[in-house]
Amino acid sequence: MNSFRRKYFVAGALLFVLALSNRLEAEQWQARHGLTPAQYQSTFDDLSKQGYRLKTVSGYVSGGERYAALWVKESGPAWTARHGLSSGDYQKAFDDLAKQGYRLTWVTGYEAGGALKYAAIWEKKGGPELIARHGLSSSDYQKAFDDFTKQGYRLVHISGYSAGGSAHFAAIFEKSGGPAWVARHNLSAADYQKAFDDFAKQGYRLKEVSGYNVGGQDNYAAIWEKTGGPTWYSRNGIPDAWYQNVYDNFYYQGNQPVYISAFSSGGGAGKLNVIWDNPNFSGADLQAISQKIQAYMSTNQIPGLALAITKDGRLVYAAGFGYANKETGEEAAPTNMWRIASVSKNITSTAIMKLVEKGSLHLTDNVFGPGSLLGAQFPTPAGNKKIEQIKVKHLLEHVSGLSNANGDPMFMNTGMNHAQLISWMLNDPGHKMTRDANTQFEYLNFGYCLLGRIIEKVSGQSYEQFVKQNVLGPSGVTEMAIGANSEAQRKPREVKYYPASAYSLNVTRFDSHGGWVASPIDLVRYVVRVDGLPTKPDIFTAASHTAVTTDSGIKDAKGNDPNYGFGWGLPQWHNGDIDGSIAFLQVLPGGYTYSVLANTRPANDTGAFNLSGVVQKIISATPKWPAYDLF
């Protein structure tokens, strides 16, 4: 939080093909997991009314009976689906629907509540001769597989599941031509990975992968086809507890799921398998981004990191790397919450400008002294009369005359609340104001602490409440919050910070100068609303934007101009660093913005300037960004 240094960046221009913006999920598909039976039925009904077709559905156990499913918004023949069926009910539904001209496209088995159940999907269409089997033991499945393939059938769907403590299978075979294909079952996780790698080298593309746990070991059954197509990725055995992080990572890199299955992995826990296609990025471009980030993380021993990039007001890329929590193995995602440290300052400056626009406050208002904003609560000490020179504008620009000379007060007296700390600071001989206001730049966290109290005094609300209602809410941000001090009090989906000393900070008291936690996606969602560009309407006036991005012209103790406005390094950026965190937020030429956050503070990049350089290389080196908007 004390690492402010002057730095100016320019990103190279990128070729870009304009197209109508669309959010992938809202236009094309919907994916859900962890649904109770009632939630699944409700979701099924709602999405069916909106024109979505169910493509995959799996039942599994994860703290109770749950469902994971994938819907696609596309036209096609009439279709129907059933879930929670006993073996007998499934067979009856199969027979009845077959008589009505429906063709089975998906079937999966699962045990829940001590009962074996089935979920299935049918479409009313013709096609080649089809054979479906369910309830097959391993040996019965192998025999059926051998017999049918000899007769010219190809396996088009496989579901492995545990029933009565042993492996069972449901499968669909079609007598049809097509590309070369291979299938395997009863593979351990290691054997499956080896098969996956071997077939990938031979040009095979994964079509399906089903998981099932027998005797405490996860096993897999899968089908591969030798076909082309867009860049694709697959993950198997993702714990349900942090599947959302994995899903978000793939989604915000332009991927769309084409297959989802889930299974009970024992101990009441569920796992998921997913296959994604990526029609938006080349594999080489995504790999190049990952390699640059991973190299930085390796060099600086970063546990976890997350990044978000916008182009012309559109979110075009976001991803997490490494771990949100090393101890649990939870993977980092761009939707995780991270401490943003001093990046909080520009949020506070925006809040001040909202009050100025309302006429509730003036930049020239005095902070202390008779008739001032805070003078009634904090009387001027007899030996510290210079504080009555301080105006709101001086605090925003770090030219108040107050000093960190005998220690940054925000990191001192950690047991004091805001009022106690301010009173101590003003009366402490070691922090007595010895120079006039507006004469020297000195980066001062305490000044932004005072701005937070001014916001509270003028608005009659808590600082956090005012910012949420007047800055974040209008920007479309709903989840940002002031962070907590302890690991146990972390916000939902907030990462863990390293080392443990990160939890010795009074982050809650940092609020207006460095206390916010946010996802990188929400940070850029906010910044495109205050960037002064026409692509997304700003939440404050052009005059306010000019004010916050105008250099005070006041030099620091070394005679250098720090190029600082109101809570922004100029032209428009801010970094942040505290023990356990670094952050960088920036508006770049060419219509780009980015935010990048990490859950440790590396010894050799405390201000995150090296990290910001890596991100700028990513932006300039990526030849084409998608035309969609993932906000």
Side-chain angles (χ1 to χ4, degrees):
M1 216 177 314
N2 300 300
S3 63
F4 182 89
R5 298 202 299 269
R6 179 182 179 184
K7 196 141 184 172
Y8 182 80
F9 305 93
V10 177
L14 304 187
L15 294 177
F16 196 86
V17 178
L18 294 177
L20 292 176
S21 296
N22 67 292
R23 193 174 192 275
L24 295 182
E25 184 172 354
E27 293 297 324
Q28 300 176 17
W29 43 264
Q30 298 280 345
R32 299 289 187 272
H33 74 286
L35 299 176
T36 65
Q39 289 170 335
Y40 169 70
Q41 186 63 59
S42 176
T43 303
F44 179 94
D45 294 341
D46 290 344
L47 292 177
S48 297
K49 292 175 184 176
Q50 297 174 44
Y52 287 89
R53 304 171 65 86
L54 185 66
K55 287 298 183 180
T56 73
V57 56
S58 300
Y60 64 109
V61 173
S62 184
E65 184 174 349
R66 298 288 184 267
Y67 288 86
L70 172 65
W71 289 263
V72 177
K73 199 167 194 178
E74 62 181 10
S75 59
W79 64 279
T80 188
R82 302 286 189 274
H83 69 282
L85 299 175
S86 67
S87 180
D89 289 339
Y90 164 68
Q91 186 62 60
K92 183 177 186 306
F94 179 91
D95 295 339
D96 290 346
L97 289 168
K99 293 174 184 176
Q100 299 173 44
Y102 283 87
R103 185 181 187 88
L104 186 69
T105 61
W106 176 275
V107 57
T108 181
Y110 53 102
E111 280 188 323
L116 177 60
K117 301 180 180 182
Y118 290 89
I121 307 170
W122 291 263
E123 291 186 349
K124 197 167 189 178
K125 63 181 183 180
E129 186 177 345
L130 177 148
I131 297 175
R133 295 287 186 271
H134 69 282
L136 300 174
S137 67
S138 289
S139 58
D140 289 339
Y141 168 70
Q142 185 64 61
K143 184 177 187 307
F145 181 92
D146 294 340
D147 290 345
F148 294 140
T149 54
K150 289 176 184 176
Q151 298 171 42
Y153 288 85
R154 58 189 295 126
L155 183 66
V156 295
H157 171 71
I158 180 68
S159 170
Y161 53 98
S162 176
S166 61
H168 285 73
F169 299 88
I172 303 173
F173 299 85
E174 282 186 356
K175 199 166 192 177
S176 61
W181 64 279
V182 291
R184 298 288 186 271
H185 68 286
N186 285 347
L187 298 175
S188 67
D191 290 339
Y192 168 73
Q193 187 62 55
K194 185 177 185 307
F196 180 94
D197 295 339
D198 290 345
F199 290 135
K201 292 175 184 176
Q202 299 172 46
Y204 284 87
R205 189 181 186 97
L206 185 66
K207 183 175 183 286
E208 292 193 359
V209 54
S210 174
Y212 48 103
N213 186 282
V214 177
Q217 175 178 289
D218 290 344
N219 293 282
Y220 295 91
I223 306 170
W224 290 263
E225 290 184 346
K226 203 165 191 176
T227 59
T231 300
W232 66 281
Y233 302 92
S234 174
R235 287 286 300 273
N236 63 285
I238 309 165
D240 189 56
W242 61 80
Y243 166 74
Q244 189 65 52
N245 282 12
V246 177
Y247 179 92
D248 290 346
N249 264 330
F250 280 93
Y251 171 75
Y252 285 107
Q253 294 179 70
N255 295 284
Q256 55 190 52
V258 294
Y259 172 94
I260 296 176
S261 67
F263 65 101
S264 305
S265 183
K271 293 182 179 179
L272 293 100
N273 311 313
V274 189
I275 303 172
W276 286 269
D277 281 352
N278 195 322
N280 301 297
F281 282 98
S282 72
D285 287 344
L286 289 175
Q287 185 177 22
I289 293 171
S290 179
Q291 286 176 341
K292 288 181 175 68
I293 293 294
Q294 296 287 357
Y296 172 86
M297 294 177 67
S298 176
T299 298
N300 292 282
Q301 298 180 309
I302 304 291
L305 181 151
L307 165 68
I309 297 171
T310 73
K311 172 70 169 110
D312 298 328
R314 295 174 291 102
L315 180 63
V316 293
Y317 175 91
F321 303 86
Y323 296 101
N325 187 321
K326 291 192 299 183
E327 286 68 35
T328 64
E330 179 184 350
E331 299 176 33
T335 46
N336 281 128
M337 304 283 277
W338 311 67
R339 290 177 177 174
I340 68 172
S342 284
V343 173
S344 302
K345 288 182 173 65
N346 65 72
I347 296 169
T348 297
S349 77
T350 301
I352 289 288
M353 297 311 297
K354 295 296 288 184
L355 287 170
V356 170
E357 290 180 357
K358 291 179 179 181
S360 303
L361 184 68
H362 300 88
L363 295 176
T364 54
D365 286 345
N366 288 325
V367 177
F368 299 111
S372 66
L373 294 165
L374 300 180
Q377 185 178 3
F378 303 102
T380 302
N384 203 5
K385 196 71 174 174
K386 283 184 181 288
I387 66 169
E388 294 185 358
Q389 301 175 16
I390 302 171
K391 301 183 185 302
V392 173
K393 185 174 185 287
H394 299 151
L395 297 176
L396 288 164
E397 295 172 330
H398 298 289
V399 296
S400 66
L402 295 168
S403 176
N404 294 316
N406 287 291
D408 185 337
M410 299 313 303
F411 292 85
M412 303 170 74
N413 301 310
T414 55
M416 291 182 177
N417 61 27
H418 286 125
Q420 292 168 333
L421 183 71
I422 293 169
S423 181
W424 171 82
M425 170 71 172
L426 298 181
N427 287 277
D428 177 45
H431 287 93
K432 179 181 177 181
M433 187 168 158
T434 59
R435 62 171 176 262
D436 291 335
N438 207 35
T439 60
Q440 181 180 307
F441 177 95
E442 182 177 350
Y443 189 76
L444 191 75
N445 290 313
F446 180 73
Y448 273 75
C449 172
L450 293 175
L451 289 169
R453 313 295 67 80
I454 290 169
I455 290 169
E456 291 178 334
K457 177 70 173 180
V458 174
S459 71
Q461 298 177 277
S462 72
Y463 164 77
E464 182 177 19
Q465 184 181 25
F466 180 84
V467 170
K468 285 183 175 181
Q469 289 183 3
N470 294 275
V471 176
L472 300 179
S475 302
V477 176
T478 59
E479 295 184 350
M480 282 179 61
I482 299 299
N485 298 333
S486 71
E487 179 182 347
Q489 294 174 318
R490 287 176 296 163
K491 303 299 180 183
R493 299 197 72 189
E494 186 177 354
V495 302
K496 182 177 178 180
Y497 306 100
Y498 301 90
S501 56
Y503 294 104
S504 66
L505 302 172
N506 193 340
V507 175
T508 301
R509 197 178 71 180
F510 288 172
D511 64 356
S512 51
H513 76 84
W516 287 97
V517 294
S519 71
I521 292 174
D522 273 347
L523 276 182
V524 292
R525 194 192 306 271
Y526 154 75
V527 83
V528 299
R529 295 291 190 172
V530 296
D531 59 6
L533 299 175
T535 48
K536 291 277 175 73
D538 280 355
I539 62 169
F540 59 10
T541 66
S544 291
H545 180 264
T546 298
V548 301
T549 56
T550 297
D551 184 6
S552 70
I554 305 298
K555 297 181 179 180
D556 63 21
K558 296 181 180 179
N560 298 317
D561 183 352
N563 286 302
Y564 199 88
F566 297 175
W568 282 111
L570 301 178
Q572 203 167 350
W573 65 274
H574 215 292
N575 64 341
D577 71 88
I578 52 177
D579 197 9
S581 308
I582 55 172
F584 216 103
L585 177 66
Q586 186 166 20
V587 179
L588 291 171
Y592 296 96
T593 73
Y594 71 87
S595 63
V596 61
L597 308 165
N599 58 354
T600 197
R601 177 170 62 180
N604 296 320
D605 193 24
T606 54
F609 288 109
N610 293 339
L611 177 55
S612 72
V614 171
V615 176
Q616 290 174 77
K617 288 179 181 177
I618 287 170
I619 290 173
S620 62
T622 303
K624 178 183 176 182
W625 295 99
Y628 55 53
D629 184 0
L630 295 179
F631 278 136

